[in-house]
Amino acid sequence: EFLAATRSRDTSPSQLHELRIAGKHLRYTLELLSDALPVRAHKAMLGELAKLQDALGAINDHATALELLAELAQVATSGSAKRWLRQQKRLEKAALETSQAEFVKRWTQRLRQRLQDLCEKCLPARPPQTKRATQVKTKASTNSKRRR
C-alpha cells in the first residue's frame, strides 16, 4: 500500500492524504514488529516516516482548513465575517501552496527509492531463514530421501 503510494507523481492534497494514511499504516506495522526487524533499517525507516508524515500532516491541515473556511463563507451573514473568512482563505491557500512546494522539493526520486529500499530491508518479501528453520528443512529433506 505504501510503496504503491510512493510511486504516484500526483501531489494533490487528496493523493498526499492517501500517502499519509498509507505511511501511518506502515509505521504502525513497523512499531508492532520492531523486535523482529533489523535495528538500523527499522530506525531509519521510522525517522523517514516521521519527517514525511509531518510534512503531509501540514498539507492536510491546510487543505482541511480551506474546506472548512469555504463552508463557513457559505453561511456567513455579516459583511465583516465574509471579509475575514476570505482573508483567512487566502492565508490558508498560501500556506497550503508553500507546504506543497516544500514537500515536492523534498519528494525526490532519490527519497522515494530510499523509502522503498528501507521497506525491503525492514519487511522483505521472503523472511530470512533462521537456523532452526534451516535445520527443520534439512531434516525433512533427509527423511524424504531415506524413504525412497
Side-chain angles (χ1 to χ4, degrees):
E1 184 181 344
F2 178 76
L3 290 179
T6 64
R7 292 184 187 103
S8 175
R9 300 251 184 230
D10 183 356
T11 57
S12 66
S14 61
Q15 181 61 37
L16 295 178
H17 181 64
E18 293 299 318
L19 176 61
R20 180 174 166 258
I21 297 302
K24 269 187 174 183
H25 291 165
L26 177 59
R27 191 186 84 224
Y28 298 154
T29 301
L30 291 172
E31 288 171 354
L32 183 66
L33 300 173
S34 64
D35 291 339
L37 301 175
V39 175
R40 291 177 85 183
H42 179 255
K43 280 186 177 183
M45 188 67 184
L46 287 179
E48 290 294 344
L49 284 173
K51 288 185 246 177
L52 181 67
Q53 287 186 296
D54 286 347
L56 293 172
I59 292 169
N60 189 61
D61 290 348
H62 294 305
T64 302
L66 270 174
E67 290 173 12
L68 292 173
L69 289 166
E71 289 174 18
L72 288 172
Q74 301 240 338
V75 296
T77 54
S78 76
S80 62
K82 288 181 180 187
R83 280 189 299 280
W84 184 84
L85 288 167
R86 277 194 302 271
Q87 175 64 23
Q88 293 306 308
K89 280 176 59 178
R90 280 192 293 274
L91 293 172
E92 280 300 328
K93 185 172 187 203
L96 173 61
E97 289 170 356
T98 299
S99 293
Q100 278 181 294
E102 288 172 3
F103 177 79
V104 167
K105 189 168 128 182
R106 186 171 182 271
W107 191 236
T108 62
Q109 177 59 37
R110 185 177 178 184
L111 176 59
R112 288 193 298 276
Q113 187 61 53
R114 174 166 166 69
L115 289 168
Q116 289 175 9
D117 292 346
L118 286 169
C119 267
E120 289 170 10
K121 286 180 183 173
C122 286
L123 303 169
R126 279 175 61 184
Q129 289 289 323
T130 63
K131 186 176 179 181
R132 176 73 180 136
T134 304
Q135 289 171 341
V136 169
K137 223 178 185 180
T138 304
K139 189 172 185 176
S141 176
T142 303
N143 289 341
S144 166
K145 289 177 185 174
R146 286 183 188 161
R147 283 187 223 134
R148 289 184 195 166

